[in-house]
Amino acid sequence: LAKTTQPISMDSYEGQEVNITCSHNNIATNDYITWYQQFPSQGPRFIIQGYKTKVTNEVASLFIPADRKSSTLSLPRVSLSDTAVYYCLVDTRGTGGFKTIFGAGTRLFVKA
Amino acid sequence: GAVVSQHPSWVICKSGTSVKIECRSLDFQATTMFWYRQFPKQSLMLMATSNEGSKATYEQGVEKDKFLINHASLTLSTLTVTSAHPEDSSFYICSAGTGTEYGYTFGSGTRLTVV
């Protein structure tokens, strides 16, 4: 399983764009990169997943360079409600049985 | 989208008793479910992988006789904490995957407090 490394914490202000970068040097060919968000006393919530280049959905964008050894989650115009822990994971898409190991995550604190 | 229901959301039990936590996939069949525990300010720690109809696979250091996992159907997995002690107090979270969707769907978690 590829290990991931993220900053432990980040601070931002409302309305700013936040970029959280994750390193996964040992990512395998079949691995996908998935980001989750977790609020206190709740289960993680899926944000976005990608394999390479750029993926965008209604809440975030995910940038993955050609070597796939890192990825960047971009949150446009954050609000106070985006204060949460963000986890970057790599796993094999499509198996359903591939266990997902969480790293330490990045604690994002959005200030007014 | 895929929904995983976890019950109860919180439970308080006396030391020495057993507690059962249920994890249900409401609108899909979950061939595999995962159980995690999370201590305050820490990340999720995978406890075991549960496959329907077979024995769970436990992570190193997790006592299988203490944390009993049953995955009797494609929509239900249960975690029973036996002879609970205060150090078992934690936030327990399940997740489910089908092998066909992006990522995994997580339950809302169960806060267990052993007194």
Side-chain angles (χ1 to χ4, degrees):
Chain A
L1 293 173
K3 180 182 177 182
T4 60
T5 304
Q6 306 172 233
I8 294 175
S9 65
M10 294 181 68
D11 288 345
S12 182
Y13 288 92
E14 281 191 293
Q16 289 188 331
E17 178 185 75
V18 171
N19 296 308
I20 306 174
T21 297
C22 177
S23 297
H24 27 79
N25 292 318
N26 296 323
I27 190 168
T29 302
N30 293 330
D31 285 342
Y32 278 69
I33 299 143
T34 311
W35 286 79
Y36 291 90
Q37 175 192 55
Q38 186 184 28
F39 296 112
S41 297
Q42 294 185 28
R45 183 177 72 97
F46 173 87
I47 300 175
I48 197 166
Q49 185 182 72
Y51 184 80
K52 62 180 179 180
T53 63
K54 178 182 176 182
V55 180
T56 298
N57 62 22
E58 63 275 10
V59 297
S61 294
L62 179 59
F63 299 92
I64 306 167
D67 65 6
R68 303 197 331 118
K69 293 183 182 300
S70 68
S71 60
T72 299
L73 173 72
S74 181
L75 304 173
R77 300 184 60 79
V78 294
S79 63
L80 296 177
S81 62
D82 292 318
T83 294
V85 179
Y86 293 83
Y87 294 98
C88 159
L89 293 90
V90 294
D91 56 35
T92 301
R93 174 189 175 187
T95 65
F98 196 83
K99 62 183 180 182
T100 303
I101 304 296
F102 281 77
T106 297
R107 193 171 297 272
L108 173 66
F109 186 68
V110 180
K111 304 178 223 180
Chain B
V3 178
V4 172
S5 173
Q6 192 171 337
H7 179 80
S9 56
W10 61 270
V11 58
I12 301 173
C13 71
K14 291 186 177 181
S15 186
T17 62
S18 296
V19 174
K20 179 183 285 188
I21 302 170
E22 291 188 350
C23 181
R24 294 180 183 272
S25 56
L26 298 185
D27 50 3
F28 67 100
Q29 293 185 326
T31 54
T32 304
M33 289 185 173
F34 304 89
W35 288 94
Y36 298 82
R37 66 187 299 182
Q38 185 176 33
F39 293 107
K41 304 288 187 182
Q42 294 187 23
S43 183
L44 287 76
M45 183 191 77
L46 180 65
M47 299 175 66
T49 302
S50 166
N51 291 300
E52 185 265 337
S54 61
K55 290 185 178 181
T57 302
Y58 291 82
E59 295 299 303
Q60 190 173 10
V62 178
E63 300 175 61
K64 61 180 181 180
D65 294 330
K66 180 169 188 60
F67 299 99
L68 301 179
I69 293 173
N70 183 279
H71 193 160
S73 77
L74 286 171
T75 59
L76 174 64
S77 177
T78 61
L79 167 67
T80 301
V81 183
T82 63
S83 187
H85 291 286
E87 56 265 30
D88 298 323
S89 297
S90 187
F91 192 55
Y92 293 87
I93 308 169
C94 69
S95 73
T98 66
T100 59
E101 82 287 16
Y102 290 95
Y104 297 86
T105 303
F106 287 81
S108 55
T110 298
R111 174 75 58 193
L112 170 63
T113 302
V114 184
V115 298

Short mmCIF file of all heavy atoms in Angstrom, two decimals, chain A residues 59-108:
data_model
loop_
_atom_site.label_atom_id
_atom_site.label_comp_id
_atom_site.label_asym_id
_atom_site.label_seq_id
_atom_site.Cartn_x
_atom_site.Cartn_y
_atom_site.Cartn_z
N VAL A 59 -17.49 20.48 -5.85
CA VAL A 59 -16.93 20.98 -4.60
C VAL A 59 -15.43 21.18 -4.63
O VAL A 59 -14.88 21.94 -3.82
CB VAL A 59 -17.28 20.04 -3.42
CG1 VAL A 59 -18.78 19.99 -3.21
CG2 VAL A 59 -16.71 18.66 -3.62
N ALA A 60 -14.72 20.51 -5.53
CA ALA A 60 -13.26 20.58 -5.50
C ALA A 60 -12.65 20.22 -6.85
O ALA A 60 -13.34 19.72 -7.74
CB ALA A 60 -12.72 19.63 -4.43
N SER A 61 -11.36 20.48 -6.94
CA SER A 61 -10.57 20.02 -8.09
C SER A 61 -9.39 19.21 -7.57
O SER A 61 -8.91 19.45 -6.46
CB SER A 61 -10.06 21.21 -8.91
OG SER A 61 -11.13 21.90 -9.52
N LEU A 62 -8.97 18.29 -8.38
CA LEU A 62 -7.84 17.44 -8.01
C LEU A 62 -6.84 17.49 -9.16
O LEU A 62 -7.18 17.20 -10.30
CB LEU A 62 -8.30 16.01 -7.77
CG LEU A 62 -7.24 14.98 -7.41
CD1 LEU A 62 -6.51 15.39 -6.14
CD2 LEU A 62 -7.87 13.61 -7.24
N PHE A 63 -5.61 17.89 -8.81
CA PHE A 63 -4.55 18.01 -9.81
C PHE A 63 -3.52 16.91 -9.56
O PHE A 63 -3.00 16.78 -8.44
CB PHE A 63 -3.88 19.38 -9.72
CG PHE A 63 -4.82 20.51 -9.98
CD1 PHE A 63 -5.49 21.13 -8.93
CD2 PHE A 63 -5.03 20.98 -11.27
CE1 PHE A 63 -6.36 22.18 -9.17
CE2 PHE A 63 -5.90 22.03 -11.52
CZ PHE A 63 -6.58 22.63 -10.46
N ILE A 64 -3.23 16.16 -10.60
CA ILE A 64 -2.28 15.06 -10.48
C ILE A 64 -1.25 15.19 -11.60
O ILE A 64 -1.61 15.13 -12.77
CB ILE A 64 -3.00 13.70 -10.59
CG1 ILE A 64 -4.14 13.63 -9.56
CG2 ILE A 64 -2.01 12.55 -10.39
CD1 ILE A 64 -5.08 12.47 -9.79
N PRO A 65 0.03 15.36 -11.25
CA PRO A 65 1.05 15.50 -12.29
C PRO A 65 1.28 14.18 -13.01
O PRO A 65 0.80 13.13 -12.58
CB PRO A 65 2.29 15.94 -11.49
CG PRO A 65 2.06 15.39 -10.13
CD PRO A 65 0.58 15.45 -9.91
N ALA A 66 2.05 14.25 -14.07
CA ALA A 66 2.26 13.07 -14.92
C ALA A 66 2.90 11.90 -14.17
O ALA A 66 2.56 10.74 -14.40
CB ALA A 66 3.13 13.45 -16.11
N ASP A 67 3.81 12.19 -13.22
CA ASP A 67 4.46 11.08 -12.51
C ASP A 67 3.59 10.50 -11.40
O ASP A 67 3.93 9.47 -10.82
CB ASP A 67 5.82 11.51 -11.95
CG ASP A 67 5.71 12.59 -10.87
OD1 ASP A 67 4.58 12.93 -10.46
OD2 ASP A 67 6.76 13.10 -10.45
N ARG A 68 2.49 11.17 -11.09
CA ARG A 68 1.49 10.71 -10.10
C ARG A 68 2.07 10.52 -8.70
O ARG A 68 1.44 9.87 -7.86
CB ARG A 68 0.84 9.41 -10.57
CG ARG A 68 0.20 9.53 -11.91
CD ARG A 68 -0.80 8.47 -12.29
NE ARG A 68 -0.61 7.16 -11.72
CZ ARG A 68 -1.48 6.57 -10.92
NH1 ARG A 68 -2.61 7.20 -10.58
NH2 ARG A 68 -1.25 5.36 -10.45
N LYS A 69 3.21 11.07 -8.43
CA LYS A 69 3.80 10.89 -7.10
C LYS A 69 3.27 11.89 -6.09
O LYS A 69 3.64 11.86 -4.91
CB LYS A 69 5.32 11.00 -7.19
CG LYS A 69 5.95 9.84 -7.97
CD LYS A 69 7.45 9.94 -7.99
CE LYS A 69 8.08 8.82 -8.81
NZ LYS A 69 7.76 7.48 -8.29
N SER A 70 2.42 12.77 -6.55
CA SER A 70 1.78 13.70 -5.64
C SER A 70 0.42 14.09 -6.22
O SER A 70 0.13 13.78 -7.40
CB SER A 70 2.63 14.95 -5.43
OG SER A 70 2.69 15.70 -6.64
N SER A 71 -0.38 14.72 -5.41
CA SER A 71 -1.65 15.24 -5.89
C SER A 71 -2.01 16.45 -5.05
O SER A 71 -1.54 16.58 -3.91
CB SER A 71 -2.76 14.18 -5.82
OG SER A 71 -2.95 13.73 -4.49
N THR A 72 -2.81 17.34 -5.61
CA THR A 72 -3.22 18.54 -4.90
C THR A 72 -4.72 18.69 -4.95
O THR A 72 -5.32 18.71 -6.03
CB THR A 72 -2.56 19.80 -5.51
OG1 THR A 72 -1.13 19.68 -5.41
CG2 THR A 72 -3.01 21.05 -4.77
N LEU A 73 -5.30 18.76 -3.77
CA LEU A 73 -6.73 19.03 -3.65
C LEU A 73 -6.91 20.53 -3.59
O LEU A 73 -6.28 21.20 -2.77
CB LEU A 73 -7.28 18.39 -2.38
CG LEU A 73 -8.73 18.72 -2.05
CD1 LEU A 73 -9.68 18.02 -3.02
CD2 LEU A 73 -9.06 18.35 -0.60
N SER A 74 -7.77 21.06 -4.44
CA SER A 74 -8.01 22.49 -4.46
C SER A 74 -9.46 22.76 -4.07
O SER A 74 -10.40 22.25 -4.70
CB SER A 74 -7.72 23.08 -5.85
OG SER A 74 -7.94 24.47 -5.86
N LEU A 75 -9.63 23.56 -3.02
CA LEU A 75 -10.96 23.95 -2.56
C LEU A 75 -11.15 25.43 -2.89
O LEU A 75 -10.47 26.29 -2.31
CB LEU A 75 -11.09 23.73 -1.06
CG LEU A 75 -10.81 22.31 -0.56
CD1 LEU A 75 -10.81 22.28 0.97
CD2 LEU A 75 -11.83 21.34 -1.11
N PRO A 76 -12.04 25.75 -3.79
CA PRO A 76 -12.22 27.16 -4.18
C PRO A 76 -13.06 27.91 -3.16
O PRO A 76 -14.07 27.40 -2.67
CB PRO A 76 -12.98 27.04 -5.52
CG PRO A 76 -13.74 25.77 -5.40
CD PRO A 76 -12.90 24.85 -4.56
N ARG A 77 -12.64 29.11 -2.81
CA ARG A 77 -13.42 29.97 -1.95
C ARG A 77 -13.99 29.24 -0.74
O ARG A 77 -15.19 29.01 -0.61
CB ARG A 77 -14.56 30.60 -2.75
CG ARG A 77 -14.09 31.45 -3.92
CD ARG A 77 -15.27 32.12 -4.62
NE ARG A 77 -16.01 33.00 -3.72
CZ ARG A 77 -15.65 34.21 -3.36
NH1 ARG A 77 -14.52 34.74 -3.86
NH2 ARG A 77 -16.39 34.92 -2.54
N VAL A 78 -13.11 28.89 0.18
CA VAL A 78 -13.54 28.13 1.36
C VAL A 78 -14.40 29.00 2.27
O VAL A 78 -14.31 30.22 2.30
CB VAL A 78 -12.33 27.59 2.14
CG1 VAL A 78 -11.60 26.55 1.31
CG2 VAL A 78 -11.40 28.70 2.60
N SER A 79 -15.24 28.30 3.03
CA SER A 79 -16.07 28.96 4.04
C SER A 79 -15.76 28.33 5.39
O SER A 79 -15.03 27.34 5.48
CB SER A 79 -17.55 28.79 3.70
OG SER A 79 -17.90 27.42 3.73
N LEU A 80 -16.33 28.91 6.43
CA LEU A 80 -16.09 28.40 7.78
C LEU A 80 -16.46 26.92 7.88
O LEU A 80 -15.84 26.16 8.63
CB LEU A 80 -16.88 29.21 8.80
CG LEU A 80 -16.51 30.68 8.94
CD1 LEU A 80 -17.45 31.37 9.94
CD2 LEU A 80 -15.07 30.84 9.39
N SER A 81 -17.47 26.52 7.15
CA SER A 81 -17.95 25.14 7.21
C SER A 81 -17.00 24.14 6.55
O SER A 81 -17.22 22.93 6.63
CB SER A 81 -19.34 25.02 6.56
OG SER A 81 -19.26 25.38 5.19
N ASP A 82 -15.97 24.63 5.91
CA ASP A 82 -14.96 23.74 5.33
C ASP A 82 -13.89 23.36 6.33
O ASP A 82 -12.98 22.58 6.02
CB ASP A 82 -14.31 24.40 4.11
CG ASP A 82 -15.27 24.55 2.94
OD1 ASP A 82 -16.03 23.60 2.69
OD2 ASP A 82 -15.27 25.62 2.30
N THR A 83 -13.97 23.90 7.53
CA THR A 83 -13.05 23.51 8.59
C THR A 83 -13.27 22.03 8.91
O THR A 83 -14.36 21.63 9.31
CB THR A 83 -13.28 24.36 9.86
OG1 THR A 83 -12.93 25.72 9.57
CG2 THR A 83 -12.46 23.84 11.02
N ALA A 84 -12.25 21.23 8.69
CA ALA A 84 -12.38 19.78 8.80
C ALA A 84 -11.00 19.16 8.63
O ALA A 84 -10.01 19.87 8.41
CB ALA A 84 -13.33 19.23 7.73
N VAL A 85 -10.95 17.85 8.71
CA VAL A 85 -9.72 17.12 8.41
C VAL A 85 -9.88 16.51 7.02
O VAL A 85 -10.92 15.94 6.69
CB VAL A 85 -9.45 16.01 9.44
CG1 VAL A 85 -8.18 15.26 9.07
CG2 VAL A 85 -9.32 16.61 10.84
N TYR A 86 -8.84 16.66 6.21
CA TYR A 86 -8.86 16.16 4.84
C TYR A 86 -7.82 15.05 4.70
O TYR A 86 -6.66 15.22 5.01
CB TYR A 86 -8.59 17.30 3.86
CG TYR A 86 -9.71 18.30 3.84
CD1 TYR A 86 -9.77 19.31 4.80
CD2 TYR A 86 -10.73 18.23 2.90
CE1 TYR A 86 -10.83 20.21 4.83
CE2 TYR A 86 -11.78 19.13 2.91
CZ TYR A 86 -11.82 20.11 3.88
OH TYR A 86 -12.87 21.01 3.90
N TYR A 87 -8.28 13.92 4.19
CA TYR A 87 -7.41 12.76 4.05
C TYR A 87 -7.19 12.45 2.57
O TYR A 87 -8.13 12.43 1.78
CB TYR A 87 -8.04 11.53 4.70
CG TYR A 87 -8.18 11.61 6.20
CD1 TYR A 87 -9.38 11.97 6.79
CD2 TYR A 87 -7.10 11.29 7.03
CE1 TYR A 87 -9.52 12.01 8.17
CE2 TYR A 87 -7.24 11.34 8.42
CZ TYR A 87 -8.44 11.70 8.97
OH TYR A 87 -8.56 11.75 10.33
N CYS A 88 -5.95 12.18 2.25
CA CYS A 88 -5.56 11.73 0.92
C CYS A 88 -5.26 10.24 1.01
O CYS A 88 -4.52 9.81 1.90
CB CYS A 88 -4.32 12.50 0.47
SG CYS A 88 -3.35 11.73 -0.83
N LEU A 89 -5.84 9.45 0.14
CA LEU A 89 -5.59 8.02 0.15
C LEU A 89 -5.32 7.53 -1.26
O LEU A 89 -5.81 8.11 -2.22
CB LEU A 89 -6.80 7.25 0.68
CG LEU A 89 -7.18 7.42 2.13
CD1 LEU A 89 -8.15 8.56 2.29
CD2 LEU A 89 -7.81 6.15 2.67
N VAL A 90 -4.56 6.47 -1.35
CA VAL A 90 -4.41 5.79 -2.64
C VAL A 90 -4.94 4.39 -2.49
O VAL A 90 -4.70 3.71 -1.50
CB VAL A 90 -2.94 5.77 -3.12
CG1 VAL A 90 -2.47 7.19 -3.42
CG2 VAL A 90 -2.03 5.13 -2.10
N ASP A 91 -5.73 3.95 -3.42
CA ASP A 91 -6.26 2.60 -3.40
C ASP A 91 -6.58 2.15 -4.81
O ASP A 91 -6.60 2.95 -5.75
CB ASP A 91 -7.48 2.50 -2.48
CG ASP A 91 -8.58 3.48 -2.86
OD1 ASP A 91 -8.77 3.75 -4.06
OD2 ASP A 91 -9.27 3.97 -1.95
N THR A 92 -6.83 0.87 -4.93
CA THR A 92 -7.08 0.29 -6.23
C THR A 92 -8.56 0.34 -6.54
O THR A 92 -9.37 -0.24 -5.84
CB THR A 92 -6.59 -1.17 -6.28
OG1 THR A 92 -5.20 -1.17 -5.99
CG2 THR A 92 -6.84 -1.76 -7.64
N ARG A 93 -8.91 1.07 -7.54
CA ARG A 93 -10.31 1.23 -7.93
C ARG A 93 -10.84 -0.06 -8.49
O ARG A 93 -10.17 -0.79 -9.19
CB ARG A 93 -10.41 2.32 -8.99
CG ARG A 93 -11.80 2.48 -9.59
CD ARG A 93 -11.75 3.41 -10.77
NE ARG A 93 -13.02 3.50 -11.43
CZ ARG A 93 -13.21 4.15 -12.57
NH1 ARG A 93 -12.19 4.76 -13.15
NH2 ARG A 93 -14.38 4.18 -13.12
N GLY A 94 -12.10 -0.29 -8.16
CA GLY A 94 -12.79 -1.37 -8.83
C GLY A 94 -12.80 -2.69 -8.11
O GLY A 94 -13.54 -3.58 -8.49
N THR A 95 -12.02 -2.83 -7.07
CA THR A 95 -12.01 -4.13 -6.40
C THR A 95 -13.03 -4.18 -5.27
O THR A 95 -13.61 -5.21 -5.00
CB THR A 95 -10.62 -4.42 -5.80
OG1 THR A 95 -10.35 -3.48 -4.79
CG2 THR A 95 -9.55 -4.38 -6.88
N GLY A 96 -13.24 -3.06 -4.62
CA GLY A 96 -14.18 -3.03 -3.50
C GLY A 96 -13.63 -3.70 -2.27
O GLY A 96 -14.05 -3.43 -1.16
N GLY A 97 -12.71 -4.59 -2.44
CA GLY A 97 -12.19 -5.30 -1.27
C GLY A 97 -10.81 -4.86 -0.89
O GLY A 97 -10.21 -5.42 0.01
N PHE A 98 -10.31 -3.85 -1.56
CA PHE A 98 -8.96 -3.40 -1.27
C PHE A 98 -9.00 -2.48 -0.06
O PHE A 98 -9.66 -1.46 -0.07
CB PHE A 98 -8.39 -2.65 -2.47
CG PHE A 98 -6.91 -2.48 -2.42
CD1 PHE A 98 -6.07 -3.50 -2.82
CD2 PHE A 98 -6.35 -1.31 -1.94
CE1 PHE A 98 -4.69 -3.34 -2.77
CE2 PHE A 98 -4.99 -1.15 -1.88
CZ PHE A 98 -4.15 -2.16 -2.30
N LYS A 99 -8.29 -2.84 0.97
CA LYS A 99 -8.41 -2.08 2.21
C LYS A 99 -7.81 -0.69 2.06
O LYS A 99 -6.85 -0.48 1.34
CB LYS A 99 -7.76 -2.83 3.36
CG LYS A 99 -6.27 -3.08 3.22
CD LYS A 99 -5.80 -3.90 4.42
CE LYS A 99 -4.31 -4.17 4.33
NZ LYS A 99 -3.85 -5.03 5.47
N THR A 100 -8.43 0.22 2.74
CA THR A 100 -8.06 1.62 2.66
C THR A 100 -7.40 2.04 3.95
O THR A 100 -8.00 1.96 5.01
CB THR A 100 -9.32 2.47 2.41
OG1 THR A 100 -9.96 2.01 1.23
CG2 THR A 100 -8.94 3.93 2.22
N ILE A 101 -6.16 2.46 3.85
CA ILE A 101 -5.40 2.88 5.02
C ILE A 101 -5.34 4.40 5.05
O ILE A 101 -4.93 5.03 4.07
CB ILE A 101 -3.98 2.30 4.98
CG1 ILE A 101 -4.03 0.77 4.86
CG2 ILE A 101 -3.20 2.74 6.22
CD1 ILE A 101 -4.65 0.08 6.03
N PHE A 102 -5.72 4.96 6.16
CA PHE A 102 -5.71 6.41 6.31
C PHE A 102 -4.37 6.88 6.86
O PHE A 102 -3.83 6.30 7.79
CB PHE A 102 -6.83 6.85 7.25
CG PHE A 102 -8.18 6.89 6.61
CD1 PHE A 102 -8.88 5.72 6.37
CD2 PHE A 102 -8.74 8.10 6.23
CE1 PHE A 102 -10.12 5.76 5.77
CE2 PHE A 102 -9.98 8.14 5.63
CZ PHE A 102 -10.67 6.97 5.39
N GLY A 103 -3.89 7.96 6.28
CA GLY A 103 -2.73 8.65 6.84
C GLY A 103 -3.19 9.61 7.92
O GLY A 103 -4.33 9.55 8.38
N ALA A 104 -2.31 10.51 8.27
CA ALA A 104 -2.60 11.42 9.38
C ALA A 104 -3.62 12.48 9.02
O ALA A 104 -4.30 13.02 9.88
CB ALA A 104 -1.32 12.07 9.87
N GLY A 105 -3.72 12.82 7.74
CA GLY A 105 -4.67 13.84 7.32
C GLY A 105 -4.16 15.24 7.54
O GLY A 105 -3.16 15.47 8.23
N THR A 106 -4.86 16.21 6.95
CA THR A 106 -4.55 17.63 7.11
C THR A 106 -5.73 18.31 7.79
O THR A 106 -6.85 18.26 7.28
CB THR A 106 -4.30 18.29 5.74
OG1 THR A 106 -3.16 17.70 5.12
CG2 THR A 106 -4.06 19.79 5.91
N ARG A 107 -5.44 18.94 8.91
CA ARG A 107 -6.48 19.66 9.63
C ARG A 107 -6.54 21.08 9.09
O ARG A 107 -5.62 21.86 9.30
CB ARG A 107 -6.17 19.65 11.11
CG ARG A 107 -7.31 20.08 12.01
CD ARG A 107 -6.94 19.81 13.48
NE ARG A 107 -6.76 18.39 13.73
CZ ARG A 107 -7.73 17.55 14.07
NH1 ARG A 107 -8.95 18.01 14.21
NH2 ARG A 107 -7.46 16.28 14.30
N LEU A 108 -7.63 21.40 8.38
CA LEU A 108 -7.82 22.73 7.82
C LEU A 108 -8.69 23.55 8.74
O LEU A 108 -9.79 23.12 9.13
CB LEU A 108 -8.47 22.64 6.43
CG LEU A 108 -8.87 23.97 5.79
CD1 LEU A 108 -7.65 24.82 5.48
CD2 LEU A 108 -9.70 23.73 4.53
#
